[in-house]
Amino acid sequence: MAEQQEQAAADAMMTRIGQVAMLLHGGDREEARGRFLDLWTEIGEDGDALHRCTLAHYMADAQDDPSDELTWDLRALSAADTLTDGSTDARLAEHQQSLAVRAFYPSLHLSLAVDYANLGRSEAARSHLRRARDTVGVLGDDAYGDGVRAGIGRLELRLDEEGPSGGAPEPAPGRGPGGETLGPPRQRP
């Protein structure tokens, strides 16, 4: 009985995070940022790692400052690193059948690579881009996997054009020269 109540509470939090993510994708970044912060406070720094990872991954997209985006993406990666037990995979499967913990890593590392590239830190960007490329095999042949692979390819091209020492960061965080999004698509919970 207690386990069922915990599961229901976990599902409710993932649903709430997903609702705020929809608000973010609808264009209301400021409102989403405020609601994400409220949820972050509710979850707590030591709260459920799945909740922290999911929320931080979305919260990064709600940031206007590239340094803040990096901070949230690092929080997401840190939380993902603690997601090691099989029960977490089962919880994730309830929200997305093909999603497992290891499938977080390509997107998380791509996000960090974009963050570092936007901050002009090309060596760190290349390091996370390699990690994204090394883990992309766990993704399915679906729209999400295709989006992450495409993001990796676009960022590789951008970094190749900048050369080994890097170049000036793009004027719009996460955007390529033609305005296209360089980062991965965020998976809805």
Side-chain angles (χ1 to χ4, degrees), residues 98-107 109 129-142 144-146 148-150 152:
S98 65
L99 191 61
V101 172
R102 66 186 179 280
F104 281 159
Y105 286 96
S107 178
H109 285 295
L129 189 58
R130 277 190 298 276
R131 291 178 186 164
R133 173 70 68 199
D134 290 347
T135 58
V136 78
V138 302
L139 297 178
D141 290 327
D142 55 16
Y144 177 72
D146 291 346
V148 172
R149 284 186 285 276
I152 290 170

Side-chain angles (χ1 to χ4, degrees), residues 1-9:
M1 177 74 159
E3 186 176 318
Q4 288 175 336
Q5 289 175 336
E6 286 179 27
Q7 196 70 7

Side-chain angles (χ1 to χ4, degrees), residues 40 43-57 71-85 88 91-92 101-102 104-105 108 112:
W40 185 259
I43 294 167
E45 290 282 333
D46 297 319
D48 184 289
L50 175 60
H51 298 158
R52 288 184 292 120
C53 178
T54 304
L55 188 148
H57 198 43
T71 298
W72 284 102
D73 278 328
L74 287 169
R75 285 179 180 143
L77 180 62
S78 177
D81 286 343
T82 67
L83 294 171
T84 57
D85 65 59
T88 303
R91 285 177 54 208
L92 283 171
V101 172
R102 66 186 179 280
F104 281 159
Y105 286 96
L108 292 171
L112 286 163

